[in-house]
Amino acid sequence: MNRVMNFSNELKDKQQVVEKILLKYMPENASPYDHVVYNAMKYSLMANGKRIRPILMMESYKICGGNNIREIEAFMAAMEMIHTYSLIHDDLPAMDNDDYRRGILTCHKKYGEDIAILAGDGLLNSAYEIMIDACLKDNKVKAKQKLTACKEIGKAAGVKGMIGGQVADVIQNDITMDVINYIHIHKTSAIIEASLTAGAVLANGSMQKVETFRKIGRCIGLAFQIQDDILDIVSTTEELGKQVGSDNKNGKNTYVTIKGIEESRQIVNELIEKALDSLNSFDSSEKEFLEEFIFYLRNRKK
């Protein structure tokens, strides 16, 4: 019980660290003509998120020997901005058409579709702006590491990653298991992988360590999305913070519809075990929290 309580308290502390970083990097309105888009950006960014991606970045950074969180703050904020922009757009009527996210009205329900689209665009562009600014402030060696991290994040967020997965999700009608895996790997896992690899790169971790974190991220990302498929069936709107049954409403095939809940849960367990096996290859006292965090992701209820 103490172990669970300690992890819970440490997680809350890390989430609060991320919240402060987000407030620090959230752009502020300086004009009376466009303030609404800043309000919409902040509304979605500062909603009750789990902050999984920046926390993963912070942990891989520490495991690879990084000892100055301030030098990766911009990248942590950028990753959460990119994730939040994707949620804003994903919830739009042209996509999943959801009314609730993180326990509150979705951005387009609060501010209208036009401002929601622009708020997503604003967060995406702000993410790259603050990362580039962080690169320009450093010497050549550190700037190269940071540019490499930018490349990892940019590829994961682009058409070879999240956007590509989203496209497949939108246009596919007869979705097979192969297509579902493609969607999950690109739409969800890519950004989780990049959170871990970017943290390793920013700590000047070896290529071997970066690639090990990529494997861990792939396992976590797939497990996370399959767990989402399960929760969409077994959870409630109040507990999940967003509408349940949306996959069924939109006629989507998922791991659950094809393999059933029990086999899907078994696959989640297998993926988590693979992630933990890879994590055990690191000889670092800093890996304990990430180990607990991976267990938390497997057992999450929202």
Side-chain angles (χ1 to χ4, degrees), residues 86-131:
S86 75
L87 299 182
I88 292 173
H89 284 190
D90 201 33
D91 290 334
L92 289 166
M95 304 288 271
D96 283 349
N97 193 24
D98 282 323
D99 293 344
Y100 291 92
R101 171 73 67 175
R102 294 174 171 172
I104 61 175
L105 287 172
T106 48
C107 193
H108 71 275
K109 283 294 181 180
K110 176 79 173 178
Y111 291 96
E113 290 181 46
D114 47 3
I115 296 301
I117 292 169
L118 294 169
D121 294 343
L123 286 169
L124 177 61
N125 283 278
S126 294
Y128 288 107
E129 183 179 347
I130 64 176
M131 286 193 292

Side-chain angles (χ1 to χ4, degrees), residues 230 256 259-269:
I230 295 169
V256 175
K259 293 186 175 292
I261 289 178
E262 290 310 312
E263 186 175 350
S264 296
R265 283 176 172 155
Q266 181 59 35
I267 293 169
V268 168
N269 288 334

Side-chain angles (χ1 to χ4, degrees), residues 128-146:
Y128 288 107
E129 183 179 347
I130 64 176
M131 286 193 292
I132 292 169
D133 188 54
C135 294
L136 293 173
K137 288 179 178 177
D138 272 319
N139 61 46
K140 288 184 179 179
V141 175
K142 284 196 172 181
K144 184 176 181 180
Q145 292 171 13
K146 290 185 175 182

